[in-house]
Amino acid sequence: MMKLNGWGNFPIIDAELTSLECFQKTPSGQYNRVIPRGMGRSYGDSSLSQTVVSTLRHNRLLEFDEQAGRIKLESGVVLSDLLEVIVPRGWFMPATPGTRYVTLGGMVASDVHGKNHHCDGSFGRHIERLTLLTADGQQLECSPEKNTQLFHATIGGMGLTGIIMDLTFRLLPIKTAYIRQESIRVNNIHEAMEVFEASAEWTYSVAWIDCLAKGDMLGRSIIMRGEHATPDELNATQVQQPLYLTPKKQRSVPFHFPGFALNHWSIKAFNALYYRKVPAGSSREVVDYNTFFYPLDTLLHWNRIYGKAGFVQYQFVLPRETSKTAMPAILEHIAHAGTGSFLAVLKLFGKEDKGYLSFPREGYTLALDFPATSATFTLLDQLDELVHQAQGRVYLTKDSRLQSRWMQAGYEQLPIFQKIKYSHDKAGLFRSLQSDRLQITDSPLPTNKENPS
């Protein structure tokens, strides 16, 4: 038994931690509630349960076709390790989250999205097949052609269908380890959305938002657009080894900050300084891929900035047709509440993929960090209502406090997911604190009990 928590350090629970190997050797019926876990970088309680099965030792690269860019590996492989293998060989991830410190199995379970979702969809779109360890001990091959429903339930399924043993997916060819980046400073959320709409041809786009700004400056932003750089765009030093990066020294937050360190005034000052780091108009530069995709990874244990009480991340998506009016209204609500976030990130999603519980849908998504306080929870309850009115949904990988009614309203295919899960896990072995709280793992009432899927 040990203390476990997600990246937000909220909640913290006592749980049994075991390895995948031990779990497989244990007689059936020994465990009641189980959830797989990789690096523990989901923010809330989605990787917490009575028993937590760590996949970190299950981390072999099994096959790599360097000519075709097809790779097969075990689910416990960490993205940072994989990048060190594939980038020097001229390949990159087809979709990547904002941190390198996640496992590939976790990326499947969350169906992670990146700055290129409007072009290339989420990670699940690029997976050709996976092997799933189900509740009855079977290892099933799942793909768009085989065990199709289970495949789409597993992608974005938060580890609730079983344990991903391995996966095969396609990589993206690159010529350098660098990104040609353009940064654009805009005055408000309306201008930000105009830039996003005009950036459809750019592969990558993302915006940082000052969520405390008000009035004509509501939602003032810095938008960063990017493309994989070619050798002729590099400087004399970079072009000598275009696919290799010189390791940079990483700093670490050595202790939890005191609770008073993050407040309205400190966040407001940070936002003002960050907004002015880009000159009026735009600027261009070539940066390495770590700087563009994983800026927070340069500061290890940055979650300690929020103190021992922890923090919650709140990420939602609104359909494109409601975003133009609902997103400014939500930002205005946050600004007037004064419970600011110094990590507020806006992206534009493309078409929805096939995972039954996958988060992305076509429209705008905003991610915000807040200290775990009673004022925050009151604010988030209010935001839930606004998101629901705009026909949006909340990202399960970031969630630690959503009410079940909003889960059922936001994820229209939840009943389909529940029937598929029930057909492979009638006893409800695989479940988490989150899935119980949101009633995801409640047994459905299928019309055909012999074939509920």
Side-chain angles (χ1 to χ4, degrees), residues 128-144:
E128 295 184 343
R129 66 183 65 88
L130 58 84
T131 304
L132 186 71
L133 176 65
T134 58
D136 60 4
Q138 293 188 77
Q139 293 196 29
L140 300 179
E141 180 181 327
C142 303
S143 72

Side-chain angles (χ1 to χ4, degrees), residues 93-106:
M93 295 298 294
T96 178
T99 175
R100 296 167 297 180
Y101 302 122
V102 293
T103 61
L104 272 293

Side-chain angles (χ1 to χ4, degrees), residues 312 333 337-340 370-383:
V312 293
H333 194 93
T339 309
F370 297 103
T373 64
S374 58
T376 288
F377 296 134
T378 298
L379 172 63
L380 296 184
D381 285 343
Q382 296 166 356
L383 296 187

